[in-house]
Amino acid sequence: MTLVMKFGGTSVGSAQAMRETAVLIQQAQQEWGQVVVVASGMGSKPVKVTDLLLNGAHTAVAGDGDTFKGYAEQMRQIHHEAIDGLLEPEGERQAIMAEIDQFVRQYERLCQAICVLAELTPRALDALGGMGEQMSVRILAAYLRQIGFPAEAVDATELVVTDDNFLSANPFMDLTEAKVTARLQPLLDQGITPIVTGFIGATKAGTTTTLGRGGSDFSAAILGQALKANEVWIWTDVDGVMTTDPRLVPSARNIPTLTFREVSELAFYGAKVLHPKTIRPCVENGIPLRIKNTFNPTHDGTVIVPDNGNGKGGIKAVTAIKNLSLLTVEGKGMLGVPGIAARTFGAVARSQVSVLLISQASSEQSICFATPEATADTVIAALEAEFATEIARRDIDRIWADHDVSIVTVVGAGMRGTPGIAGRLFSALGNNGVNIIAIAQGSSECSISLVVDGEETGTAVAHIHELI
Ligand code: ADP
Ligand code: MG
């Protein structure tokens, strides 16, 4: 039996956390036989190593030659402290420390170059961004060996083959499967547990890529598929998937089971607990997915089950994404003109911007859709170019954006069979003075999304949460 377990930033965030993680790895290995571990960079709150890496690069490109040095020192300290707390001086302590120092020096050299060149490419960001994982797996693997548990740190650049879509690369599964089998199976056969970096991969040519922020969850699912694992477990710092983000609403509760479809919608609409791309490799290969709490391991957490079609119970969870713009294409001449929607989204796609929600007035006189706020100007320019003729003819009157809006999404497969959900949602918001700017229902009918003013996000989420 093979189990892939992913440990998030806080689960490897300190010497103490790594010790607890090591216990969970040992227990799982005894129970399952073969365990593959995926780990994130150290992320003890509030400082996450990945943030230090990326922020340092951003300050460097702006001409600041000092800030990244401070970050490098902070990073060195975080890792040295973990090493001091875990590794015996007579064991691998010095060797691992030397490896960490090399990564930190490499980081400083790269930032120095970025600062001098005043250029920061997605490719360079990916070269930097994955160093946190490369450091954490080395410490964790060395600690496991020290306590007599055979383990080996493996860089996922040796395993996960991706396209060159830097910052959000996609795996080539057949190539990845071949590499994973060739590299990991011999280790597993010898009883050695691989400790693999999350987040990163490499192109066919060997250049480091990353799978997107939070992508270590996806790494675990990719390895799960490649190894035909029996289950994939995501260990994090909360009791599984909750009714809403417990950082925003402390009364959030655990959800024992969710369907793949429900959790996909939640993840897509901002529930950070699971990276949205994690779900597909698992659902397509029938691999059960679990989310559990490293700091409360006896809690069952959440199990993600196949879509069973008999959802009951209405709303299960509420989530939100902030910092969006709602763009509207409006005009009386649009009525009945074929192809306006296709051209609108064609232009958006060519700007490489993703659309999070679409809503059309039934009169066909306007289409509105939400995109990340930072991309709004680019998209408006693309639309004005696309529709230059229609704007000149006054078929399209206006293309405009509402800034600083949020999407609040409620999820639950059972909503379909429960009358009055929409009414209860609207009353919950209306009674508390939250204005709904637009509405859309997910195609799978297990989610409803509402666009609200950014400032009202917290109020909207809290009052909807009271309905759960
Ligand atoms: P990790 O480093 O383990 O991947 P993340 O910070 O990416 O951890 O994800 C866990 C966090 O997700 C939780 O601490 C919580 O604040 C946040 N979160 C947001 N929405 C939810 C939700 N619906 N259920 C559980 N956690 C959520
Ligand atoms: Mg995460």
Side-chain angles (χ1 to χ4, degrees):
M1 299 275 276
T2 307
L3 175 65
V4 177
M5 301 205 295
K6 177 258 173 173
F7 290 91
T10 42
S11 306
V12 293
S14 63
Q16 182 54 28
M18 283 212 204
R19 236 179 252 119
E20 286 166 32
T21 290
V23 171
L24 298 172
I25 294 170
Q26 283 177 298
Q27 286 172 349
Q29 203 271 338
Q30 277 170 10
E31 229 169 276
W32 291 74
Q34 298 192 335
V35 171
V36 172
V37 172
V38 174
S40 301
M42 291 182 69
S44 56
K45 282 157 194 152
V47 181
K48 293 188 174 186
V49 168
T50 312
D51 287 335
L52 293 178
L53 288 164
L54 299 177
N55 295 345
H58 286 294
T59 56
V61 74
D64 170 355
D66 286 324
T67 303
F68 72 81
K69 290 181 185 151
Y71 288 168
E73 191 42 44
Q74 224 176 323
M75 227 157 19
R76 196 177 283 123
Q77 270 173 21
I78 291 171
H79 293 94
H80 279 204
E81 218 175 283
I83 293 171
D84 284 338
L86 291 169
L87 303 180
E88 309 285 351
E90 55 276 10
E92 291 189 67
R93 183 190 282 191
Q94 290 314 320
I96 300 294
M97 230 172 232
E99 281 195 77
I100 299 301
D101 289 349
Q102 238 172 6
F103 277 110
V104 176
R105 272 199 303 275
Q106 171 73 353
Y107 166 70
E108 281 183 291
R109 275 197 298 270
L110 281 167
C111 283
Q112 190 64 53
I114 290 164
C115 185
V116 171
L117 297 171
E119 181 174 278
L120 179 56
T121 58
R123 187 187 173 108
L125 274 174
D126 276 359
L128 286 169
M131 286 184 178
E133 280 70 13
Q134 292 178 297
M135 292 189 275
S136 68
V137 296
R138 282 163 173 75
I139 300 173
L140 181 59
Y143 174 66
L144 285 162
R145 287 192 292 269
Q146 175 180 295
I147 58 174
F149 183 88
E152 183 174 323
V154 179
D155 287 339
T157 46
E158 291 184 56
L159 305 175
V160 178
V161 186
T162 73
D163 59 16
D164 61 359
N165 187 17
F166 294 103
L167 299 178
S168 182
N170 300 295
F172 296 116
M173 278 316 297
D174 43 350
L175 296 173
T176 299
E177 258 174 59
K179 287 213 168 198
V180 167
T181 313
R183 177 75 172 90
L184 298 190
Q185 200 55 55
L187 293 181
L188 293 168
D189 292 343
Q190 293 168 65
I192 300 171
T193 296
I195 314 292
V196 183
T197 57
F199 191 39
I200 57 176
T203 62
K204 285 179 200 168
T207 310
T208 303
T209 53
T210 67
L211 307 173
R213 219 41 219 280
S216 298
D217 302 340
F218 188 30
S219 306
I222 292 169
L223 295 187
Q225 171 172 350
L227 289 160
K228 301 183 176 53
N230 298 85
E231 292 197 14
V232 170
W233 291 11
I234 307 292
W235 289 94
T236 184
D237 59 355
V238 285
D239 291 336
V241 183
M242 323 270 285
T243 46
T244 192
D245 186 344
R247 273 183 232 176
L248 301 181
V249 183
S251 61
R253 304 182 299 276
N254 156 268
I255 308 172
T257 59
L258 277 169
T259 66
F260 277 106
R261 211 173 262 169
E262 287 171 326
V263 82
S264 296
E265 298 281 306
L266 266 184
F268 182 78
Y269 284 110
K272 193 183 159 210
V273 62
L274 195 63
H275 190 281
K277 287 188 183 168
T278 314
I279 293 128
R280 196 162 155 199
C282 292
V283 71
E284 284 181 355
N285 295 281
I287 305 172
L289 180 62
R290 257 172 223 282
I291 296 111
K292 285 174 66 80
N293 188 350
T294 311
F295 306 100
N296 188 15
T298 52
H299 193 290
D300 286 336
T302 297
V303 59
I304 312 297
V305 298
D307 302 309
N308 48 22
N310 58 8
K312 276 200 228 78
I315 305 173
K316 276 187 156 174
V318 54
T319 177
I321 321 184
K322 290 187 184 181
N323 301 323
L324 304 175
S325 289
L326 189 69
L327 279 71
T328 305
V329 179
E330 191 180 327
K332 297 198 178 47
M334 284 166 61
L335 190 76
V337 177
I340 295 265
R343 286 172 57 199
T344 301
F345 295 113
V348 179
R350 282 192 298 281
S351 327
Q352 306 228 308
V353 169
S354 55
V355 170
L356 292 154
L357 166 152
I358 302 171
S359 157
Q360 183 171 26
S362 58
S363 64
E364 282 193 61
Q365 288 182 12
S366 71
I367 301 174
C368 70
F369 57 94
T371 65
E373 195 161 51
T375 65
D377 291 342
T378 318
V379 174
I380 290 184
L383 290 171
E384 283 172 349
E386 173 69 35
F387 290 119
T389 320
E390 286 78 4
I391 293 168
R393 280 204 310 253
R394 300 287 168 100
D395 285 345
I396 288 178
D397 299 324
R398 283 211 297 165
I399 298 173
W400 51 286
D402 245 339
H403 294 297
D404 190 21
V405 301
S406 296
I407 297 180
V408 175
T409 302
V410 297
V411 171
M415 294 194 308
R416 199 170 13 195
T418 315
I421 296 271
R424 288 170 62 210
L425 280 176
F426 299 154
S427 321
L429 298 185
N431 294 342
N432 293 287
V434 178
N435 179 37
I436 301 170
I437 305 169
I439 303 166
Q441 182 162 31
S443 57
S444 58
E445 283 188 67
C446 81
S447 74
I448 299 173
S449 291
L450 312 167
V451 178
V452 302
D453 191 279
E455 277 182 3
E456 295 179 333
T457 319
T459 319
V461 168
H463 288 292
I464 292 175
H465 189 252
E466 286 168 5
L467 302 177
I468 301 176

